[in-house]
Amino acid sequence: MTDPLHEDGATAITSVAADGLYRATVPRGEGRRLYLFSRLARSYRLFDGLPSVTGGSAHFRQHPLTGEWISYSGVRQGRTFLPQTAECPLCAMTSGELKTDIPVDDYEVAIFTNRFAALTEEASPPPDMILETRPGTGICEVVSYSADHQASLSTIEPDRVALLLDALAIRCTELMANADIAYVMPFENRGREIGVTLDHPHGQIYALPHIPDRIKKAADAFRTDDPLAGLSQRLPEQLVLAKNKSGIAFVPPWARYPFEIWIVPHQQVADLAALGAEARADMAAPVRTAPGEHDGAFESAIAFPL
Ligand SMILES: [Zn+2]
């Protein structure tokens, strides 16, 4: 919903109730969308944001030995690289001057189409090569869970983490409903050390046209049994970092990395939506624990994929 222009060029938009929370949906041109999630009804001042980026010929190439599909996209080379804080594309806009990807005066949880998407809904034909190729069909979204440039998953309020999990549940369900999508992965990469190009805390959602081999193998383990059943009773106490009635955060005895934490709900469910609102709210505690434990161990904000 939009109202007439303010003096500074902003338009007023209001959220509408949906799935236990409130959401404002903002078309951003070229098929891009911005979703603003909040627990209570609210309005936003909407400015003119950053424009679309096109090109990049997204496609997959098949690895000749493993058969895995590897994503290639030239448009990623042009993505915003470590901008000054004042030019951060994930900060809210205070006027029409410095444009961002979230062009509203404030927000709680924002999810929007990645301007530098590695995969696109309308993918062009893949290039002819000496190996198998496929169109780069898919959807890439960016997830920002605080307008505060300095925030982190472990320092924002548990209520905000619960809102984030609710918003992810909604978007993942919507993306999975797309006939071209076979697997949806929400994640967060944090830290310049692992290649993150924006310091503003944020996650991403990748909606893929196939199920990655590693995920397929892990999912197959649940076909006949629940390999993680009763885990919270079986784990040695010193490996448990947080536990409540809905889930657990722990260091796995099968850790692949020197520092590794798993966050697992007690219920075996297919996805975040199936977990239910109450369990998602409970999971906020173990979700906040993982980055907090890592930061505490190193006494600084440590890089991680989540
Ligand atoms: Zn920022």
Side-chain angles (χ1 to χ4, degrees), residues 25 27 87 96 114-115 130 139 143 184 205 281:
T25 301
E87 294 171 1
N114 195 329
R115 277 198 310 138
I130 60 167
I139 300 164
V143 181
V184 177
I205 303 175

Side-chain angles (χ1 to χ4, degrees), residues 84-92 107 144 146-150 198-201:
Q84 300 287 325
T85 302
E87 294 171 1
C88 172
L90 303 185
C91 277
Y107 65 87
S144 184
S146 175
D148 178 359
H149 191 81
Q150 309 293 342
L198 298 177
D199 290 332
H200 194 118

Side-chain angles (χ1 to χ4, degrees), residues 71-141:
S71 164
Y72 290 79
S73 173
V75 76
R76 300 286 298 158
Q77 282 300 101
R79 67 194 192 275
T80 312
F81 183 76
L82 300 176
Q84 300 287 325
T85 302
E87 294 171 1
C88 172
L90 303 185
C91 277
M93 283 177 65
T94 49
S95 71
E97 298 291 305
L98 280 170
K99 295 184 191 305
T100 78
D101 264 332
I102 310 174
V104 285
D105 57 331
D106 186 31
Y107 65 87
E108 291 161 49
V109 172
I111 300 182
F112 61 91
T113 314
N114 195 329
R115 277 198 310 138
F116 302 95
L119 306 168
T120 58
E121 282 183 85
E122 306 293 335
S124 46
D128 266 336
M129 302 185 74
I130 60 167
L131 39 68
E132 291 295 316
T133 58
R134 272 184 187 173
T137 306
I139 300 164
C140 297
E141 297 188 337

